[in-house]
Amino acid sequence: MADLITTLLTIAVAVGAILTTVAYLILLERKLSAWMQDRRGPNRVGPFGVFQPLADGLKFLIKEDVIPARADKVMFLAAPCIGLLTTLLAFAVVPFGPVNDQPAYLRFIIAPHVDIGIVFIFAVTSLAVYGVILGGWASNNKYSALGSLRASAQVISYEIPLGMSVLGVALLGGTLNLENVVAAQAQGGFWQWYIWTQPLAALIFFTSALAEANRLPFDLSECEQELVGGYHTEYSAMKFALFFLGEYTHVITMSFLTVILFFGGWHFPWIATPGSAYVGAWLVKVLVLLSKVFSVIVFIMLIRWTIPRFRFDQLMNLSWKALIPLSLANMIAVMTVRQFGWNRWWLLPISIGLFCFVGIIGVSAKRAEIRHRHGASQGAGLHPLGGAGI
Amino acid sequence: MALVVEATRPISAASGNRAHPLKNHMPTAIINNQQIELKEGERLNCIQAAQRIGFEIPHYCWHPALSVVASCRMCLVEVGEKKPDGSVVMQPKLVPGCQTPVKDGTVVVADSPKVKAAQQATLEYLLLNHPLDCPTCDQAGECGLQDYSYKYGRGYSRLQEPKNIKPDKDYIGDHITLFTDRCIMCTRCVRFTREYSGTSELQVVARGSDEEIDVFPGRPCNNELAGNVVDLCPVGALCSKDFLYQQRVWWLKETSSVCPNCSTGCSIQVDQNDDCVYRLTPRTNPLSQGHFMCDQGRFGWKYIHAENRLTFPIRRKNGQIRTRDWDDIIPSLQKALTKAAARAPEKCAAIFSPWMACEEAFILASYLRSLSPKFRLALGPVRVAGEDDTYPKDFYGRPLEPVRFTIRAEKCPNRRGVSMVLEHFGSVATMGDVVAQASELEALYAVGGDPWGWLEPVQAEALSRAALTVVQDIFPSALSEQADYVLSGGSFAERDGSFVNYKGLAQEIRRAIRAPDGARPDGRILWELSGRRGLFSAAAIRREMAEAIPAFAAFAAGSLGESGVILNEHGAPQAKVVAAVEK
Amino acid sequence: MTAAADNQDVIWVEEPEIGFWEATFLPAIVEGLKTTIRHVTNYQPVTQQYPEEKPILPLHYRGVHRLNRDEQGRVKCVACMLCATACPANCIDILAAAAPPQWPDRDKYPASFVLDELRCIYCGMCEEACPVDAIELTHIYDLTGTSRNELMYDREKLLDVFDQTKDDPRDPTRTRRGRLGPAAEFGSLPTVAPATPITPGDRSAQAPAPGVIHPHKPSDWSRKPS
C-alpha cells in the first residue's frame, strides 16, 4: 500500500515537474535563440518575460479548437494524446536521482528494478511515431500526410543505430537496467564513465536521439519551409500543445538517457560518489544529475539554432550509410573485447579508428563520385549541372 | 513645277508582275508603293483607298456618311499620277486625302517625311488652344486627338501665350452638352444636323480663332438623332449628358448587339462594365441602319437596371407564394403543363411576345407542340406608336426624300422573326381569341418582355382566369401578380439570340451582362423547361431551326456574323444582296 | 560545348572537394557552435522596442494615402480615375460627378472616393498615375481598425489624413511647382517641359526658355542632343 502511494506520488511529482519544466524550457529556448540572433526574445509578460509560459498556456487553453471538416475525428483527437502519453511513459524507468542510499520515501524512479529498462524505453518511445502518423493522416491534409510519412521513415531508420549504440553499454555493464548502468559507472569512478570507452556509441546515440525526437537538424517532418507545419499543420489550441509537450518530453527523456548511459548519471568525482555519506548527499546527487541533464538540453538547443536542417536524402544517407554500419562495428568491437577478456581501454582507440575509417571512406567515395560525374559529363557532352541543349 | 519621280523603284514583288500594261487591265492605283485594284464604278477617296491596304490616313472632319469639307487638314497626302510611259508625276503641294478621288493611275504617298511633317504641324496647330484636361474629359481613351497626338504628334507645345479658352455652353440640348474649348472645328456635328437629321440646329458662329459651335437662340439641338453628334465628335467637345462622368471608356467592354426599341433593328454595341450597362453606341452596319441610331434607342435601355424588375421566379398556389427556387419551379412547371395538355389538349394556349428572340420562340413553340399538337400559339400585342419617323426633315419638320434614317412606329424588335416561327408551327390563334376564351383555358403560357407594358388591365384580368397561368416577363404586371408561375426573364442585354428586323435582316443579340439575382435569360429558362441537357446555346438552336424551318435556312452556320443575314419568306438567304451591300 | 556552357555571363562553379574533417561534419558543427555562442556571450540586441521606440522611416516610405487639398481647401482630385486604372489591387472606387457650380474652374470632381486600405498593396502606382498630384502616400504605417468597413477610407477620411500630415516634414506635398496640377488651371498654364522625349533636331525644345530659338548652327544641335 505504501509502495502504491509512493509510486503515485512520484508519478505526480515527476509528471508535474516535467510539464512545468517543458513550459520553461520553451521560454529558455526562445530566449536562447533570441540571444544568438541578437534579438531580445519574449520580454512583454512579466520581467524578462518570465510569465510567458503562463500566457502561452492560457492562450492554448482558450484558443478556438479547430477540427477540420473532413478529418477523422477519433484519430485526430487520439494522435496528440498518443504522442504525449508514450513519451511520458518512457520516463517510468528513468532514474532521476540516486536510487539506493536516500530516504525510503524519496524514490527517484517511478518503476524501480525494471531489468529491461532500456528495451522498455525504446519500445515505448518509438510508439510516439504513431501519434505523428495518425495526426498527419487524420488531418486530411497533404502537408500533414507528407510530414507524417517523413516522420515514420525517419524514426524507423534512426531506431536501429539508437538501439545498437546502447547495446555496447549494455554489454560492458552486463545489464539493461538503467539503475545498474548508473551504479556500474559510479562504482568505477570518473574514468569508468562509458563516454571514455564508448565515445563513438555516445556520438551515434546522441545523433540518433535528436532524430528520434524530431529536433533540428532532423525535424524534416515539420519543416516549415516545405510542409507548412508538417503533421501538426491542422492542429491548434490544446491539441497542438500536447504535441509540443510530447516533443519536449522526448528531449528531456533523451537527455536523461544520454547522461545516465554515458556520463555517469548522478556521479561526479569528489562531490557525489557512492561513498558520499554526508547529510543531504542524495540532494547533491539529484542536483548533479539534473545539472548534467540541463547541460545536455542546452546543448541540444544550441545545436538547433546552429545547424541548418538536413535534406531528406542526406538524412537517410547519414543513418543507413554511416550510423548503422558504425554502430554495428562498435558493437562487434565491444563483443570482441569482452569475449577475449582484453582491457576495455582498447575500445577507445578502436572507436577513434572506426570513426577515422568511416571518415576516410566518406571522403574517397565523395571524390570518386565527383570524378565519375566529370567523366560522364564529358563523355556525353553535357554539363554536370544540366542546362545542356539550351 | 511638276516633280518627276523615276518609276523604276520596285513597287512590290507581288504586284510588280501584274504591272504590265495590258489592254483591258483593271484600273489600279498605287498607295504607299502598294497596288490596289479599283472596281467598276467605284468612287474612293485617298482615305478609303488607303484603308484597302490597311493603312490609316489620319482624319478628323471626314466621315463616310457625311459630305466632304476638307477643313481639318489632317489627311494631307502627296498625290501624283502614273503616266502610261511608267513615269510618276507628283503634285507639288500636299492635298487633302478626303477630297481627292482615286482613279486609274493615281499614286498616293501617305508615309513620306513630308506628309509626316505636315501631320505634325497640323496637330500642333489643332492643339494650340486645346485644353490639357484629358483627366476630366469623357472622350479620353477614344479621343482622336489623343490617338493621333500619340501616333503623329510631337508631344509638347511651343505656345507661350495663354490658351484661347472659350466658355462652355450652358445648354445646347437635352441629351448633349458642349465643351466649347475642346472643339477643333471639324464641323462633323454641323454637317450631321444639316444632312442627316435635316434639322440644322448646330452652326459655326464667328470667324477665325473666335469660331465656335453653337445653336440658334431658343432652338436647342433636341432632334431624335441628336445623340449621334456625340459619337461623331472626334474630340470631347460634344458629350452625352447621360454618360457624362459615369465611367472611363477604357473600362467599358463592348458587346455587339441589336437595339430592341423598334423594328429598324439598329446594330449597336452594348458598353458595360461590371454587369452594369453604361451606354449604347451605334455600330456601322450597312445592312441595317448605316452608321447611326436614334435617341429613343440610345437612351431607352435604362429599364435594364430598374429597381422593380422581376428578380426571382415564383410558384403560387391559391394566391400564396410557394417557392422562389428555379430548381423547384422548372420540374413542377413541366409536370403542370404536361398534365394540362393531357387533360384538355385543345384548351391550351400560348402568347408569344414580339420581344422574344427567334431561338426562344422556336424552343417554346416546339416544346409546347410536343406536349400537345393542338396547343394554340398566338402572337402577343405589337406596340405601335404613331407613324414611321423618317429623316432628314426640313426646317418645318416635314420629311424629305431621300430617306436616310427611319425610326419605326413598330416598337418591338422581332415581330417578324416570331411570326415566321409561328407560321411554321401553324394553327396560329390571335391574341383576341386567346383573351376571349381565357376563362375556359386549361393552360396559358404568356411571354411578355416589353418593358413598357404589353397588357391592357382588361386583358390581364381575362387571362388570369385560365386554370394554369404561366408568365415569363421581366417586369411585374397585373397578370404576373396572379399567375401560378412567374418566370423572371432577361432583358436584351442579358440574352443570346437573334432578332429579325422589319425587312427580314436577322442579327444576333449577344449577352453583355449577367441578369440580376434570380432572373435568367429566357433562352436558358426555355432550354431547361424543354428538358434539354447542357447549357443553352443560341448557335445550336439556330442550326436546329435551319433544318426545321426553310425560312430560317440561313441560320445553318450557327453564327450570323457581325452584320447579320437577310432572310426571305421562302428560305435561302439572299447571298448576292448580302455581298453587294457589304462592299 | 553547348551554347549554355559558352555563355560568358555564366560562371560555373565546381563542387569543392571535401577533406576528411569536413566529411565528419565535426569542424563545421564546432565552428557553428562557436559563432552562436559568441553571439550569446557578446549580446548586442538590435531589436527596436516598437511601441516605445518608433522607427525613423525614409522619406519615400509608402503608408496610408491622403487626398490633397488645393489652396481653396477643395479636394484636388478631378476624378479622372487614372489611379483606379493603375491600381493593381483594384482597391480604389471613384464615383465622378460634375463639379458644383461654385467651382467655376473645375469640370469634374469625385462625388465619392473610397479606398480600401486593406486591399491596397501600397505600391504607390496611384501616386504616380495622378495627373493633378491629388493622391499621395504618407508615412503613416500603423493603421488599425476594428472592422473592415472602418478601413474603407472615403473622401473625407482621406482629406483628414491630409490635414493631419500636411505640416509633417516627413510628408511634403509633392506637387509640381508648388501649385495645382495642370487639369485645374489649364487656362493660364505656362508651357510645360516636354513630357515625351525630344527629337535631337528640335531646337525649340532645347532652348533655355520655351519658344526662344537660339541661332545655333545646324551641325551643333544635330550632333549634340542635350
Side-chain angles (χ1 to χ4, degrees):
Chain A
M1 189 61 201
D3 201 37
L4 181 66
I5 290 169
T6 320
T7 308
L8 288 177
L9 273 177
T10 317
I11 289 174
V13 170
V15 170
I18 287 173
L19 295 187
T20 322
T21 315
V22 164
Y24 274 88
L25 277 183
I26 293 171
L27 177 66
L28 175 70
E29 176 150 23
R30 290 173 67 179
K31 276 286 186 191
L32 204 60
S33 68
W35 294 333
M36 283 178 187
Q37 296 162 356
D38 294 338
R39 295 185 285 111
R40 286 178 197 273
N43 65 348
R44 293 277 148 184
V45 194
F48 305 105
V50 287
F51 297 126
Q52 186 68 38
L54 296 181
D56 286 346
L58 198 65
K59 191 194 84 173
F60 277 134
L61 279 175
I62 61 180
K63 219 178 159 179
E64 187 188 355
D65 202 357
V66 180
I67 297 180
R70 302 212 177 160
D72 184 329
K73 279 212 182 89
V74 178
M75 297 296 189
F76 191 76
L77 291 172
C81 304
I82 295 175
L84 181 64
L85 192 78
T86 49
T87 45
L88 281 178
L89 205 57
F91 215 75
V93 295
V94 176
F96 44 92
V99 285
N100 297 324
D101 44 354
Q102 78 279 17
Y105 54 87
L106 287 176
R107 209 177 69 199
F108 291 111
I109 185 165
I110 295 166
H113 316 304
V114 178
D115 285 337
I116 53 153
I118 293 174
V119 177
F120 175 79
I121 287 175
F122 292 147
V124 168
T125 50
S126 51
L127 284 179
V129 78
Y130 277 96
V132 173
I133 292 177
L134 287 181
W137 181 79
S139 300
N140 193 21
N141 174 325
K142 291 177 186 66
Y143 290 116
S144 305
L146 282 174
S148 58
L149 281 178
R150 282 181 173 195
S152 56
Q154 178 182 333
V155 168
I156 288 167
S157 303
Y158 278 87
E159 198 84 336
I160 304 165
L162 189 74
M164 290 211 287
S165 60
V166 177
L167 279 186
V169 172
L171 281 173
L172 281 179
T175 176
L176 284 171
N177 186 334
L178 286 173
E179 299 156 50
N180 297 347
V181 169
V182 176
Q185 293 180 81
Q187 235 91 56
F190 180 64
W191 296 106
Q192 187 71 37
W193 289 8
Y194 288 127
I195 181 70
W196 302 119
T197 46
Q198 288 285 291
L200 186 59
L203 192 66
I204 296 171
F205 178 82
F206 186 70
T207 314
S208 311
L210 284 183
E212 279 284 293
N214 282 330
R215 290 290 292 187
L216 241 116
F218 303 112
D219 69 338
L220 275 294
S221 56
E222 49 188 280
C223 58
E224 293 81 2
Q225 289 87 341
E226 298 160 29
L227 295 176
V228 189
Y231 60 89
H232 55 57
T233 303
E234 297 288 355
Y235 281 89
S236 60
M238 211 52 215
K239 292 199 292 298
F240 175 74
L242 288 185
F243 268 127
F244 224 73
L245 282 176
E247 192 185 313
Y248 269 86
T249 314
H250 211 135
V251 170
I252 293 174
T253 314
M254 285 305 173
S255 304
F256 264 103
L257 281 179
T258 311
V259 169
I260 288 168
L261 288 174
F262 297 101
F263 291 94
W266 48 261
H267 174 261
F268 202 85
W270 308 298
I271 301 173
T273 58
S276 326
Y278 52 87
V279 180
W282 59 269
L283 185 63
V284 173
K285 286 173 183 172
V286 170
L287 289 179
V288 164
L289 178 66
L290 291 185
S291 38
K292 279 181 184 174
V293 169
F294 183 72
S295 317
V296 176
I297 292 176
V298 168
F299 185 68
I300 290 177
M301 287 176 183
L302 284 178
I303 294 270
R304 167 167 184 188
W305 296 104
T306 301
I307 302 175
R309 185 180 292 130
F310 274 58
R311 218 166 54 205
F312 199 72
D313 62 320
Q314 293 170 333
L315 178 88
M316 284 294 156
N317 281 347
L318 181 67
S319 170
W320 291 97
K321 291 187 184 168
L323 296 187
I324 291 179
L326 263 181
S327 57
L328 205 62
N330 178 61
M331 201 176 74
I332 291 168
V334 175
M335 283 153 76
T336 317
V337 169
R338 289 281 293 179
Q339 179 64 29
F340 296 107
W342 298 346
N343 187 332
R344 61 183 179 83
W345 280 103
W346 277 108
L347 284 170
L348 181 59
I350 291 175
S351 288
I352 295 171
L354 277 175
F355 186 77
C356 295
F357 181 64
V358 169
I360 289 163
I361 288 184
V363 173
S364 52
K366 191 77 193 169
R367 287 197 179 145
E369 188 191 331
I370 292 172
R371 256 199 315 281
H372 173 73
R373 215 190 282 160
H374 257 285
S377 66
Q378 275 162 9
L382 301 174
H383 199 276
L385 298 180
I390 293 171
Chain B
M1 188 187 77
L3 198 77
V4 181
V5 181
E6 282 293 317
T8 46
R9 50 178 178 166
I11 286 169
S12 84
S15 57
N17 295 337
R18 280 185 279 144
H20 294 296
L22 298 172
K23 273 180 190 169
N24 292 322
H25 81 289
M26 291 287 287
T28 55
I30 297 169
I31 318 283
N32 285 355
N33 279 346
Q34 269 182 284
Q35 205 158 4
I36 62 164
E37 290 182 349
L38 303 170
K39 295 197 180 65
E40 196 61 38
E42 202 172 32
R43 292 164 60 87
L44 297 180
N45 63 18
C46 294
I47 296 174
Q48 288 166 315
Q51 281 167 354
R52 280 279 179 84
I53 64 161
F55 185 85
E56 186 201 29
I57 296 175
H59 57 271
Y60 289 119
C61 67
W62 180 77
H63 188 276
L66 302 175
S67 61
V68 176
V69 289
S71 67
C72 74
R73 315 310 281 182
M74 195 62 214
C75 62
L76 290 179
V77 287
E78 288 186 81
V79 171
E81 197 181 352
K82 189 177 181 184
K83 301 291 182 196
D85 62 359
S87 66
V88 175
V89 183
M90 301 299 285
Q91 292 181 23
K93 266 178 72 177
L94 297 176
V95 297
C98 61
Q99 212 178 23
T100 310
V102 172
K103 59 184 197 304
D104 188 22
T106 302
V107 176
V108 179
V109 180
D111 56 357
S112 66
K114 200 173 164 188
V115 171
K116 283 182 180 161
Q119 287 166 344
Q120 215 175 45
T122 306
L123 262 177
E124 188 175 15
Y125 188 64
L126 287 174
L127 284 167
L128 270 189
N129 288 321
H130 190 85
L132 258 179
D133 62 347
C134 299
T136 57
C137 175
D138 256 9
Q139 191 83 359
E142 52 180 12
C143 172
L145 269 182
Q146 275 185 340
D147 294 350
Y148 289 166
S149 295
Y150 187 75
K151 273 193 199 156
Y152 311 103
R154 59 191 296 145
Y156 59 96
S157 167
R158 293 183 290 184
L159 179 74
Q160 280 206 307
E161 289 74 29
K163 287 180 186 247
N164 178 15
I165 299 297
K166 302 158 193 165
D168 294 343
K169 297 279 177 295
D170 292 335
Y171 173 78
I172 62 160
D174 289 341
H175 292 307
I176 55 177
T177 171
L178 178 59
F179 293 91
T180 323
D181 48 356
R182 294 178 189 153
C183 177
I184 59 164
M185 302 309 295
C186 69
T187 67
R188 274 185 181 189
C189 50
V190 174
R191 279 174 285 148
F192 178 82
T193 53
R194 287 185 187 168
E195 296 160 17
Y196 229 91
S197 66
T199 44
S200 310
E201 295 100 338
L202 294 174
Q203 294 296 326
V204 178
V205 300
R207 306 294 293 269
S209 58
D210 292 331
E211 248 185 350
E212 48 187 88
I213 304 290
D214 206 346
V215 292
F216 293 107
R219 292 187 67 89
C221 183
N222 278 338
N223 66 64
E224 284 292 339
L225 300 179
N228 291 305
V229 298
V230 175
D231 299 328
L232 279 171
C233 185
V235 297
L238 284 161
C239 286
S240 155
K241 279 184 182 169
D242 182 57
F243 180 65
L244 194 67
Y245 306 146
Q246 292 303 302
Q247 192 77 334
R248 300 320 306 252
V249 292
W250 55 82
W251 283 343
L252 296 174
K253 284 151 272 206
E254 297 106 7
T255 314
S256 301
S257 191
V258 178
C259 175
N261 284 11
C262 78
S263 59
T264 301
C266 295
S267 294
I268 56 160
Q269 272 184 348
V270 180
D271 289 356
Q272 59 88 19
N273 182 25
D274 241 355
D275 285 339
C276 181
V277 175
Y278 284 95
R279 64 175 182 185
L280 305 185
T281 48
R283 177 162 57 91
T284 303
N285 183 357
L287 286 182
S288 58
Q289 92 285 15
H291 295 86
F292 303 111
M293 72 186 290
C294 70
D295 283 4
Q296 290 172 15
R298 185 185 292 269
F299 304 117
W301 50 269
K302 298 297 171 62
Y303 65 87
I304 293 177
H305 300 303
E307 287 288 312
N308 59 337
R309 269 191 62 176
L310 290 173
T311 53
F312 51 85
I314 296 171
R315 177 160 70 91
R316 285 199 187 84
K317 200 163 189 188
N318 305 325
Q320 299 295 310
I321 295 178
R322 277 305 160 94
T323 177
R324 296 175 171 184
D325 183 8
W326 280 109
D327 295 339
D328 200 14
I329 283 174
I330 295 277
S332 95
L333 176 57
Q334 279 171 333
K335 233 179 269 172
L337 282 174
T338 316
K339 221 184 270 175
R343 205 182 301 137
E346 66 292 335
K347 285 189 181 170
C348 294
I351 299 173
F352 283 64
S353 161
W355 285 71
M356 294 173 94
C358 301
E359 293 83 354
E360 290 153 11
F362 177 76
I363 309 182
L364 182 58
S366 48
Y367 170 63
L368 295 179
R369 277 293 159 84
S370 75
L371 293 180
S372 149
K374 292 181 188 161
F375 224 112
R376 274 181 288 171
L377 312 176
L379 180 68
V382 175
R383 194 159 52 85
V384 176
E387 300 278 310
D388 285 1
D389 193 10
T390 63
Y391 289 87
K393 294 191 188 310
D394 68 3
F395 181 72
Y396 302 101
R398 290 178 300 226
L400 291 177
E401 290 293 328
V403 171
R404 304 188 75 175
F405 194 91
T406 311
I407 305 169
R408 296 201 182 267
E410 189 180 296
K411 298 295 180 198
C412 56
N414 199 23
R415 194 259 314 151
R416 184 155 165 163
V418 172
S419 22
M420 278 162 79
V421 171
L422 293 185
E423 270 163 37
H424 164 75
F425 283 97
S427 127
V428 176
T430 62
M431 172 85 177
D433 295 345
V434 175
V435 172
Q437 301 162 6
S439 51
E440 298 160 22
L441 284 177
E442 199 64 44
L444 172 75
Y445 196 113
V447 184
D450 188 339
W452 288 277
W454 56 285
L455 274 179
E456 311 277 328
V458 188
Q459 289 174 321
E461 173 58 30
L463 289 175
S464 62
R465 274 189 231 124
L468 170 72
T469 329
V470 185
V471 179
Q472 181 179 326
D473 206 344
I474 65 171
F475 280 103
S477 62
L479 185 57
S480 74
E481 296 297 326
Q482 301 172 39
D484 300 304
Y485 288 88
V486 178
L487 307 174
S488 46
S491 69
F492 77 98
E494 294 146 16
R495 288 189 282 161
D496 277 318
S498 58
F499 287 158
V500 180
N501 79 351
Y502 73 99
K503 65 177 172 194
L505 173 73
Q507 298 181 84
E508 270 184 63
I509 57 167
R510 294 189 182 86
R511 183 164 177 247
I513 57 172
R514 286 175 292 186
D517 299 334
R520 282 184 179 180
D522 299 36
R524 180 178 168 193
I525 300 173
L526 296 169
W527 181 278
E528 285 172 14
L529 184 66
S530 62
R532 290 164 193 258
R533 288 176 189 273
L535 297 176
F536 168 71
S537 155
I541 300 288
R542 278 196 284 273
R543 277 187 220 108
E544 237 176 80
M545 289 172 75
E547 278 180 26
I549 312 175
F552 284 102
F555 277 17
S559 162
L560 303 183
E562 279 299 293
S563 41
V565 295
I566 291 182
L567 309 174
N568 64 13
E569 304 286 343
H570 310 292
Q574 293 166 330
K576 278 180 193 167
V577 177
V578 175
V581 180
E582 265 179 350
K583 297 296 175 201
Chain C
M1 272 300 188
T2 60
D6 286 339
N7 192 343
Q8 295 299 312
D9 298 335
V10 179
I11 300 164
W12 292 105
V13 182
E14 290 297 329
E15 196 175 333
E17 295 224 339
I18 56 170
F20 169 73
W21 283 110
E22 283 87 358
T24 60
F25 293 117
L26 290 181
I29 293 174
V30 171
E31 202 54 41
L33 283 173
K34 264 204 268 181
T35 308
T36 45
I37 291 171
R38 194 174 61 238
H39 276 268
V40 176
T41 50
N42 181 21
Y43 172 54
Q44 284 167 338
V46 294
T47 315
Q48 274 185 334
Q49 294 296 303
Y50 164 63
E52 293 91 21
E53 297 171 31
K54 304 271 184 186
I56 300 161
L57 297 171
L59 258 184
H60 59 262
Y61 183 82
R62 300 190 298 259
V64 175
H65 313 71
R66 69 180 186 196
L67 271 184
N68 291 351
R69 292 180 190 274
D70 61 8
E71 292 93 337
Q72 302 174 39
R74 309 173 301 187
V75 59
K76 226 183 206 183
C77 172
V78 295
C80 69
M81 309 194 196
L82 286 181
C83 50
T85 307
C87 181
N90 277 339
C91 69
I92 306 178
D93 191 53
I94 305 172
L95 274 183
Q102 306 88 286
W103 302 2
D105 55 333
R106 298 273 296 270
D107 282 339
K108 193 178 173 189
Y109 89 121
S112 125
F113 190 111
V114 180
L115 202 153
D116 189 343
E117 298 283 354
L118 289 176
R119 225 176 176 198
C120 176
I121 58 169
Y122 299 95
C123 64
M125 286 210 212
C126 48
E127 194 177 6
E128 292 201 23
C130 185
V132 294
D133 304 313
I135 190 166
E136 283 181 345
L137 274 70
T138 66
H139 74 277
I140 299 175
Y141 54 85
D142 44 359
L143 177 70
T144 52
T146 51
S147 68
R148 280 170 202 276
N149 263 340
E150 208 173 294
L151 292 176
M152 303 278 279
Y153 273 32
D154 64 1
R155 194 184 63 193
E156 298 313 314
K157 234 169 172 174
L158 289 165
L159 285 170
D160 270 355
V161 177
F162 173 74
D163 294 338
Q164 280 169 33
T165 56
K166 63 181 173 189
D167 299 323
D168 194 315
R170 286 172 295 183
D171 294 315
T173 315
R174 282 159 248 180
T175 308
R176 264 170 273 172
R177 303 184 302 278
R179 46 166 128 175
L180 278 183
E185 52 179 28
F186 52 81
S188 58
L189 189 75
T191 319
V192 191
T196 47
I198 311 163
T199 50
D202 197 323
R203 278 183 295 158
S204 85
Q206 291 164 32
V212 182
I213 298 176
H214 289 274
H216 286 299
K217 286 176 195 161
S219 56
D220 285 349
W221 47 263
S222 62
R223 214 181 303 139
K224 289 183 195 165
S226 59

